[in-house]
Amino acid sequence: QKEVEQDPGPLSVPEGAIVSLNCTYSNSAFQYFMWYRQYSRKGPELLMYTYSSGNKEDGRFTAQVDKSSKYISLFIRDSQPSDSATYLCAMTVGVLGVQGAQKLVFGQGTRLTINP
Amino acid sequence: SQTIHQWPATLVQPVGSPLSLECTVEGTSNPNLYWYRQAAGRGLQLLFYSVGIGQISSEVPQNLSASRPQDRQFILSSKKLLLSDSGFYLCAWRGAVNTEAFFGQGTRLTVV
């Protein structure tokens, strides 16, 4: 079983729709949760970052974490064609015996297309 | 502000040739540094991470190695490339404990 599971899609929705992207994880030691957006042939770009259960909002984006269910979500409101990209969830876990070290583990990424 | 540089952007190398990809970070000290590989349409596979000069941890056995000769420099190398080494290689950094990670723009490697 992978540590982080993410539906690879592809996901295609009309412009203006609300998009829900999700990841589940198995390691309860994961501490920090991030969502990245990656355009084709580019490096991932950080969208949202959170460490506690609950919601965090930034413009049209809302990140939701439920640590009891080991489930995180990213919601995109009023989706735009420019939101078309691959979205990756990522989580950090400390490395035993190495102070300050954190491993970043990624989901597979969900390919999203917003149709005008 | 902090920035991360990764080069080259694209590279085509013959099988059996050596490889050296470089990543440097500016504007921070003692970052955690990471090398990832992304196969077409796939997620990111962690290859190496480093918490300090000369400290390298490898995640998967492979034909690659990494080195950190300076605090803000991370190098990915191979002595003899295989076809299976083709992919999109990404370098990332994060600061002190409890901060998010940032990526370079990646190197697209094609081994022919």
Side-chain angles (χ1 to χ4, degrees), chain B residues 19-77:
Chain B
L19 172 74
S20 180
L21 301 180
E22 189 162 342
C23 172
T24 59
V25 181
E26 295 177 357
T28 187
S29 296
N30 198 30
N32 281 195
L33 296 172
Y34 306 85
W35 277 113
Y36 286 87
R37 176 167 59 202
Q38 187 176 33
R42 304 287 297 276
L44 275 68
Q45 179 189 30
L46 179 61
L47 301 176
F48 301 95
Y49 64 95
S50 171
V51 301
I53 296 174
Q55 299 178 63
I56 309 294
S57 297
S58 174
E59 280 296 289
V60 293
Q62 57 210 324
N63 185 42
L64 302 167
S65 62
S67 61
R68 186 168 175 175
Q70 299 180 46
D71 181 42
R72 288 169 284 182
Q73 183 185 30
F74 204 22
I75 298 172
L76 183 69
S77 304

Side-chain angles (χ1 to χ4, degrees), chain A residues 1-34:
Chain A
Q1 182 188 5
K2 290 181 184 176
E3 284 189 286
V4 181
E5 297 276 359
Q6 183 177 5
D7 186 342
L11 182 62
S12 182
V13 301
E15 184 175 354
I18 296 175
V19 177
S20 172
L21 304 166
N22 310 297
C23 288
T24 58
Y25 62 95
S26 56
N27 189 347
S28 58
F30 283 132
Q31 297 171 305
Y32 303 95
F33 305 89
M34 290 160 277

Side-chain angles (χ1 to χ4, degrees), chain B residues 62-106:
Chain B
Q62 57 210 324
N63 185 42
L64 302 167
S65 62
S67 61
R68 186 168 175 175
Q70 299 180 46
D71 181 42
R72 288 169 284 182
Q73 183 185 30
F74 204 22
I75 298 172
L76 183 69
S77 304
S78 174
K79 291 182 179 178
K80 287 186 179 181
L81 283 169
L82 306 172
L83 286 173
S84 58
D85 292 323
S86 294
F88 191 42
Y89 289 83
L90 288 155
C91 179
W93 76 273
R94 59 183 296 280
V97 176
N98 307 343
T99 66
E100 58 272 39
F102 299 93
F103 281 85
Q105 284 304 299

